[in-house]
Amino acid sequence: MPDLRPQVFLFFLPLLLVGIAFWAGGDFLTKQLLSLSYRTLDKLQADTLPQVLLALNFTLIDLKIEPEENLTQVQIKTANSMLKRLELEIPNSKFTEIAIAQKLGLYPQIKKLELNQQIKVKILLNLTAIKAKIEKKQGFSLVEVRTANNALKKLNFVLPVTEVNMLEVMTAQLLNLSLEDVRKLITYQVT
């Protein structure tokens, strides 16, 4: 029977040499990477939410009030503008409509919201996100604006464009924002 030790030795020797090369090369590379200095920022940079003063002019066509455990959910449907719906969350109250008018900045001039009522209001909004659903076949885009405000949580707009560039421009004009701010906040869904 022939002696297999030299053949086994010749088989494992290259594997051993490759392992030593990887170990030495990895050690050298690790030392090189750890010796590099990394530049850090001098100041903490945090993205701030864009804040806009939005002037709204709409006709109230439907008011849906849903009291829940801690808050009252309010949906206001509108007409005669690109704004189609507002969604609010207000604290539970015996005088819900007065609380809605206060949160929209209409109180004391308007104490009760009524159907077909013309409403003009300026609201300061902290924007968190803009979702655009482009309806190519229909020829318009649904734009949902989400806010970090205490009461006003969401605004829904319908814009008569389907091209992304035009949608960004119209959204920027509508919200009094820069194109850069719109591009940071907006996400798209095309159907």
Side-chain angles (χ1 to χ4, degrees), residues 52-102:
V52 297
L53 182 62
L54 191 59
L56 301 173
N57 183 4
F58 59 89
T59 302
L60 189 143
I61 60 170
D62 189 26
L63 181 65
K64 186 176 179 183
I65 300 172
E66 296 178 13
E68 293 181 1
E69 189 174 317
N70 296 329
L71 295 167
T72 299
Q73 300 285 333
V74 180
Q75 287 187 9
I76 300 172
K77 290 185 181 176
T78 68
N80 299 338
S81 74
M82 287 188 277
L83 177 67
K84 295 302 173 193
R85 188 171 69 200
L86 294 101
E87 292 182 22
L88 295 97
E89 287 181 355
I90 59 171
N92 289 340
S93 168
K94 291 180 182 179
F95 307 104
T96 304
E97 291 192 13
I98 291 176
I100 296 168
Q102 285 176 330

Side-chain angles (χ1 to χ4, degrees), residues 74-160:
V74 180
Q75 287 187 9
I76 300 172
K77 290 185 181 176
T78 68
N80 299 338
S81 74
M82 287 188 277
L83 177 67
K84 295 302 173 193
R85 188 171 69 200
L86 294 101
E87 292 182 22
L88 295 97
E89 287 181 355
I90 59 171
N92 289 340
S93 168
K94 291 180 182 179
F95 307 104
T96 304
E97 291 192 13
I98 291 176
I100 296 168
Q102 285 176 330
K103 292 298 180 182
L104 290 175
L106 301 170
Y107 188 83
Q109 295 84 5
I110 298 175
K111 294 181 176 126
K112 183 174 179 169
L113 299 175
E114 298 175 8
L115 297 182
N116 297 317
Q117 182 177 21
Q118 186 69 28
I119 297 176
K120 292 182 182 181
V121 64
K122 288 187 179 182
I123 301 173
L124 188 63
L125 299 175
N126 294 315
L127 306 180
T128 58
I130 302 170
K131 290 174 51 178
K133 184 176 180 184
I134 301 171
E135 301 278 348
K136 287 264 188 195
K137 291 179 183 174
Q138 313 297 352
F140 61 85
S141 297
L142 304 169
V143 178
E144 179 181 285
V145 178
R146 294 182 180 258
T147 73
N149 289 38
N150 291 338
L152 186 59
K153 297 296 178 189
K154 203 184 307 182
L155 298 110
N156 292 64
F157 296 92
V158 175
L159 301 180

Side-chain angles (χ1 to χ4, degrees), residues 145-188:
V145 178
R146 294 182 180 258
T147 73
N149 289 38
N150 291 338
L152 186 59
K153 297 296 178 189
K154 203 184 307 182
L155 298 110
N156 292 64
F157 296 92
V158 175
L159 301 180
V161 294
T162 58
E163 296 301 318
V164 171
N165 291 339
M166 286 301 300
L167 182 61
E168 289 174 351
V169 168
M170 284 189 76
T171 303
Q173 290 172 350
L174 184 68
L175 299 175
N176 299 320
L177 282 175
S178 69
L179 271 175
E180 181 181 316
D181 283 339
V182 169
R183 288 180 180 137
K184 286 180 187 176
L185 295 172
I186 200 162
T187 57
Y188 298 98

